[in-house]
Amino acid sequence: MGQKYIYVAFLSTPYKMGEFIRKATGFSYNHAAISLSPKMKYLFSFSRHYKNAPFYGGFNRESVLRYKRKRKTASVKICAVPVSEEQYLKAKKCLEYFEEHSEDYLYNMISAAWFPFKTRVRIKHSYTCVEFVSEMLRRYSDVPELENKKFLTIKELCGFLEKYKIYEGSAERFLEKAGWETDSFPEEKGKWFYWKKTALNNGKLIFRFLKREK
C-alpha cells in the first residue's frame, strides 16, 4: 500500500483576522489544518464557517480556495508526518465522524482568548485549529515532542514538525483543480444571519464552559 502520511498545513490566511493574529504572535503563520492527501484540494480544521462571520466557527472541510482573496494568496508550509496504515485508517474514520457530527463541534473562542496566558481552556467538543491538529497528531501519529504537551502555540507545533517539511511557498500551486464542494465559506448571507449564528454558537460555547468539569 505504500507509506501513509498525515499532511499538516500551516497557512498565512489573507484576511484581516489572520493579519491581526500574525502581528499578535510575531509568527509567519496563523492557521493550521490537516489533509490525508498530498493534492490538498481540501483540508480539515476548526475555523470560521463563512467568510463574513469571523467569530462563528467550528469544524470545517476547508476548500483550499479559502486561501486566495483577490490578488492575495496565502503562504503555506506543508509537513508530511509518516503514519502506519492502522493510524491512517483511524484518522480517516475520526475525520468522517467529525464531518457527520460537525454541528456539535464549536471553535473554542474562549481558549483562543486565553492564548496570551499560555493556557488551554478545555471545553467539550471545542477546539482551536492548533488544538485540533495537535490532538489528531497525538492520537494518530508518533511525534514524541507532542506527548504530555498541555499547551502549544502554532510556532511550537510548526517547529516540532520542521523535520517533516516537504513544501514551503505559495498556496497557488494547489488552487488549479480546487472547488468549493461542501465548503460554505464563500456564501453571502445577511448581517442578521451572521449575528444570530455567532450569538447562538458562542452562547453554546459559554454554556459548555460553565458546565465543564474543573
Side-chain angles (χ1 to χ4, degrees), residues 58-97:
F59 179 79
N60 283 296
R61 176 197 282 252
E62 303 177 347
S63 167
V64 74
L65 292 174
R66 282 182 176 233
Y67 305 116
K68 185 176 179 65
R69 182 190 181 201
K70 298 179 181 179
R71 295 184 179 180
K72 293 183 179 179
T73 303
S75 297
V76 61
K77 176 178 178 179
I78 299 172
C79 302
V81 180
V83 296
S84 68
E85 181 77 18
E86 181 181 8
Q87 288 171 325
Y88 178 87
L89 292 175
K90 285 182 177 179
K92 184 174 183 290
K93 187 175 181 179
C94 181
L95 291 173
E96 289 170 353
Y97 179 88

Side-chain angles (χ1 to χ4, degrees), residues 37-191:
S37 168
K39 295 181 180 180
M40 308 292 285
K41 288 178 63 178
Y42 54 84
L43 306 96
F44 299 96
S45 191
F46 276 70
S47 55
R48 68 177 80 178
H49 293 308
Y50 296 93
K51 176 178 64 178
N52 295 323
F55 300 108
Y56 169 43
F59 179 79
N60 283 296
R61 176 197 282 252
E62 303 177 347
S63 167
V64 74
L65 292 174
R66 282 182 176 233
Y67 305 116
K68 185 176 179 65
R69 182 190 181 201
K70 298 179 181 179
R71 295 184 179 180
K72 293 183 179 179
T73 303
S75 297
V76 61
K77 176 178 178 179
I78 299 172
C79 302
V81 180
V83 296
S84 68
E85 181 77 18
E86 181 181 8
Q87 288 171 325
Y88 178 87
L89 292 175
K90 285 182 177 179
K92 184 174 183 290
K93 187 175 181 179
C94 181
L95 291 173
E96 289 170 353
Y97 179 88
F98 270 106
E99 280 202 281
E100 290 171 6
H101 300 84
S102 60
E103 291 186 2
D104 296 332
Y105 286 88
L106 311 175
Y107 187 89
N108 196 339
M109 293 287 183
I110 295 174
S111 195
W114 277 80
F115 169 81
F117 306 102
K118 295 187 176 182
T119 300
R120 177 182 178 183
V121 181
R122 294 180 180 272
I123 302 175
K124 185 179 180 180
H125 291 174
S126 306
Y127 297 89
T128 65
C129 63
V130 175
E131 290 168 355
F132 168 70
V133 172
S134 300
E135 187 68 23
M136 289 295 292
L137 291 176
R138 286 192 194 98
R139 291 184 189 179
Y140 308 116
S141 74
D142 300 300
V143 182
E145 293 88 349
L146 299 182
E147 293 180 10
N148 302 316
K149 277 284 185 179
K150 294 182 179 180
F151 175 84
L152 271 177
T153 65
I154 191 169
K155 184 176 182 178
E156 289 172 330
L157 179 59
C158 194
F160 290 149
L161 302 184
E162 178 65 29
K163 59 188 173 183
Y164 304 114
K165 184 177 76 173
I166 59 171
Y167 175 77
E168 190 163 17
S170 174
E172 191 74 41
R173 65 181 288 183
F174 302 102
L175 296 174
E176 185 178 352
K177 295 182 180 180
W180 285 109
E181 298 183 13
T182 60
D183 193 345
S184 61
F185 187 76
E187 295 177 15
E188 296 287 344
K189 304 288 185 179
K191 289 184 178 180

Side-chain angles (χ1 to χ4, degrees), residues 7-25:
Y7 297 90
V8 180
F10 297 97
L11 299 120
S12 59
T13 56
Y15 296 89
K16 290 182 179 179
M17 182 61 73
E19 292 175 5
F20 172 79
I21 294 171
R22 292 193 295 276
K23 285 181 180 179
T25 62

